[in-house]
Amino acid sequence: MNILVVGGGGREHAVIKSLKKNNSVEKIYALPGNGGIARDAECYPVKATDVAGIVEFAKTHAVDFAVVTPDDPLVLGCVDALEEIGIPCFGPKKNAAIIEGSKVFSKDLMQKYGIPTAESRAFTDADEAIAYLKAGSFPAVVKADGLALGKGVVIAQTFEEAETAVREIMCDKVFGASGNSILVEEFLTGPEVSVLSFTDGKTVVPMISSMDHKRAKDNDEGLNTGGMGTVAPNPFFTEAVAKECMEKIFLPTVRAMNAEGRTFKGCLYFGLMLTPKGPKVIEYNCRFGDPETQVVLPLLKSDLLEIMLAVNKGTLTPDMVRFRNGAACCVVLASEGYPKSYQTGYELTLPETEENEHIFVAGAKKEGEKLLTAGGRVLGAVAAADTLKQAVEGAYALAEKIKFENAYMRKDIGKRALSAIR
Ligand code: AMP
Ligand code: GLY
C-alpha cells in the first residue's frame, strides 16, 4: 500500500514510524514532512493547509490510504476532499472536525448532552463580554472560538488582563476570524490528563493516557508552548477515573456527535481536568496530540495501520488496540527563546538509537547531507521502559546525546507524574 500522511511535525514522524511496521506498506509520502521525516518517508513541499494541492498530489501518486493528522486541514475539509476522489482516509470529516474547530460548538454540544465541562458563556460582542467579566470572579478563562495555533486560551488573573485579552482577540483580531466569538469560562483546577482515542463512530477505544507539559520553563513556569514533553501513562488517570470518563465523557461524546449528524471517525482527543467535582472536559481535539503521540504510539503493541483501516471501515473493536505494559517519556529539544523569537539553521547531529529509543523530528530541514534546525521545537527524544522512572531517565540520557547550538529543554519532564506514583 502507498500511504499519504498530511503534516510535518514530531507527531507525524511518530505516526509514520508506526505505520512503517506494517509489511504491506510500500511507500509513505509526507506532505510536507520535514528533514528528519525524510529518513522515513518521501517528503514533498505541499503545505498541510493546501487542500487542493494535497488532492492534486494524491491523484498523481497512486495513494491507497491517507492519514490527515493536523487540525487545520481537518477543519478545512481535507478528508472530505480526498474521499471525494476515492481515497479512503483516517481522520474526521469537516462536519465532525468542528469539535476542535469551534470551541463554541463543542461547549454547546457538552451542555446539550450533559457532558461535564467548565461553566461558560459565549459572546460575539466585546463590550458584552467585558461587562460580564467585570461582574465575575478571577481567575477567569477567555478562549477564542476557532483555531489559534494553541494560543487562543488566556487565563486572566485580573479583570484588566481579561479585558486586554478580549480586546486583542475580538477587536484587534490577533487570531483572525477565530476571534469573532469567544467563550468566558470558569477557572477549573486539578491534574490535567490527555486521552487520545480511536473511534469509528460506533466504538470508542481510549489509548494509554498521557500528560503534557505545556509551559516553557521548569515547574510549569513561563509561557505556554506547543508542549515541551510528555509521559504516558498518566498516573492520575486511574482505572476508576477511566471508567467514569468512559461512561460520562467518551461514549456520550461519540453518541452526541452521531445524534447531531456529525459522526466522528479518527482520533478523538479528550483534554481532561480531574477537578474536585470529577473529570471535566477542558478541550476536544479532532486529531492526535503533539507531543502526546510521541509517547503513546511507541507503547502501542497492535498494528497502527490495521486500526486506522478498521476506523475507516467502521469495524473497530477494543481488542484491536493493545498497549505494552510500561511507560514512555518524551523530552522536547527546542531552540533557545522558543516560543518567542529563536534562531534556526544550526547543524543537528542525531545519535544512533537503541530499541525502545526514538527521535521524532519536528523542525529540521535537509541541506545536502546535513540536517539543520528549522523550528522552535526541533525534536522529541523518547524512551520507553518498564517503569516511568526508567523511561524518564532514558529520555534524558538520549536527549543529552543530541547536539545542536542553542538547544533548550526542560529538566523536569515527568517529575509531577513520578511524585504521584511514589
Ligand atoms: P487549550 O489551548 O484549550 O489546550 O488550553 C490551554 C490550557 O489552558 C489547558 O491545557 C489548561 O491548562 C488551561 N485551561 C483551559 N481551560 C481552562 C479552564 N476552564 N480552567 C483552568 N485551566 C484551563
Ligand atoms: N498537546 C496538546 C495538543 O496537541 O493540542
Side-chain angles (χ1 to χ4, degrees):
M1 280 179 93
N2 295 334
I3 302 184
L4 168 63
V5 175
V6 176
R11 164 187 58 197
E12 284 74 15
H13 199 181
V15 166
I16 287 167
K17 283 238 172 142
S18 280
L19 289 172
K20 272 181 84 171
K21 290 187 197 157
N22 184 303
N23 288 331
S24 68
V25 173
E26 287 158 56
K27 276 193 178 180
I28 302 186
Y29 301 113
L31 304 185
N34 67 46
I37 291 178
R39 298 175 174 201
D40 294 292
E42 286 183 27
C43 300
Y44 291 86
V46 178
K47 279 197 194 147
T49 45
D50 178 7
V51 174
I54 293 165
V55 168
E56 214 35 57
F57 181 93
K59 273 186 189 162
T60 49
H61 286 80
V63 172
D64 300 298
F65 190 66
V67 179
V68 183
T69 342
D71 48 7
D72 16 35
L74 290 165
V75 170
L76 288 168
C78 189
V79 166
D80 310 55
L82 286 167
E83 294 200 336
E84 248 165 54
I85 59 161
I87 295 174
C89 294
F90 178 85
K93 291 193 175 171
K94 182 176 180 171
N95 75 346
I98 191 176
I99 198 164
E100 175 169 2
S102 166
K103 290 190 197 292
V104 173
F105 167 86
S106 58
K107 188 60 77 172
D108 285 347
L109 185 87
M110 289 185 270
Q111 282 167 352
K112 183 169 169 189
Y113 292 92
I115 297 165
T117 184
E119 295 289 329
S120 89
R121 271 190 60 180
F123 295 92
T124 50
D125 181 275
D127 292 331
E128 278 177 31
I130 288 164
Y132 176 79
L133 279 159
K134 187 148 207 172
S137 60
F138 290 88
V141 185
V142 176
K143 297 186 171 183
D145 175 42
L147 298 182
L149 302 168
K151 295 182 190 143
V153 175
V154 176
I155 315 275
Q157 301 296 337
T158 61
F159 169 70
E160 288 69 30
E161 277 177 42
E163 183 179 19
T164 305
V166 171
R167 295 228 182 272
E168 284 179 0
I169 296 170
M170 300 193 87
C171 308
D172 305 343
K173 293 272 192 279
V174 290
F175 306 120
S178 288
N180 289 349
S181 309
I182 61 162
L183 287 177
V184 175
E185 196 165 285
E186 159 200 22
F187 177 74
L188 298 177
T189 55
E192 284 186 57
V193 183
S194 305
V195 180
L196 285 55
S197 71
F198 292 109
T199 177
D200 61 356
K202 288 175 270 188
T203 304
V204 54
V205 190
M207 295 178 229
I208 197 165
S209 61
S210 51
M211 184 192 289
D212 195 359
H213 298 68
K214 284 199 168 129
R215 300 294 199 94
K217 301 261 157 69
D218 285 9
N219 299 316
D220 291 327
E221 288 170 9
L223 295 170
N224 249 324
T225 70
M228 293 301 295
T230 35
V231 294
N234 184 324
F236 293 99
F237 195 70
T238 60
E239 265 182 48
V241 175
K243 188 164 177 285
E244 187 178 0
C245 289
M246 186 54 127
E247 284 163 12
K248 294 189 179 156
I249 296 173
F250 305 160
L251 281 169
T253 301
V254 169
R255 290 185 189 132
M257 290 297 277
N258 286 334
E260 295 291 312
R262 296 174 181 274
T263 295
F264 189 103
K265 285 177 157 197
C267 175
L268 182 53
Y269 167 128
F270 299 91
L272 306 171
M273 197 171 265
L274 308 183
T275 77
K277 291 186 186 158
K280 295 192 181 190
V281 177
I282 288 279
E283 62 162 349
Y284 292 114
N285 289 331
C286 64
R287 51 168 176 90
F288 284 100
D290 189 339
E292 285 91 341
T293 307
Q294 289 90 314
V295 284
V296 168
L297 290 185
L299 296 172
L300 181 68
K301 274 201 297 194
S302 323
D303 186 276
L304 179 63
L305 180 60
E306 278 175 21
I307 297 171
M308 288 182 161
L309 292 169
V311 166
N312 171 272
K313 290 196 193 94
T315 55
L316 180 70
T317 55
D319 59 294
M320 285 178 185
V321 184
R322 291 264 175 263
F323 285 86
R324 61 167 271 194
N325 289 325
C329 174
C330 170
V331 174
V332 169
L333 270 76
S335 308
E336 181 74 53
Y338 171 78
K340 284 197 156 165
S341 63
Y342 52 82
Q343 293 185 329
T344 59
Y346 295 116
E347 189 169 351
L348 174 62
T349 46
L350 302 179
E352 290 297 316
T353 49
E354 313 270 327
E355 204 190 339
N356 289 325
E357 288 181 343
H358 308 270
I359 296 172
F360 297 128
V361 178
K365 64 175 182 196
K366 261 172 84 170
E367 209 167 86
E369 286 312 298
K370 282 188 188 166
L371 204 53
L372 303 181
T373 64
R377 288 187 300 168
V378 174
L379 55 85
V382 177
D386 291 336
T387 66
L388 181 59
K389 186 165 179 289
Q390 291 164 344
V392 171
E393 288 167 359
Y396 274 106
L398 178 60
E400 292 295 346
K401 288 192 223 161
I402 300 168
K403 299 279 175 253
F404 62 92
E405 233 176 279
N406 272 355
Y408 168 77
M409 64 178 135
R410 267 179 69 162
K411 300 285 188 187
D412 66 341
I413 304 300
K415 194 170 156 195
R416 182 152 192 225
L418 282 170
S419 67
I421 298 174
R422 284 199 197 103

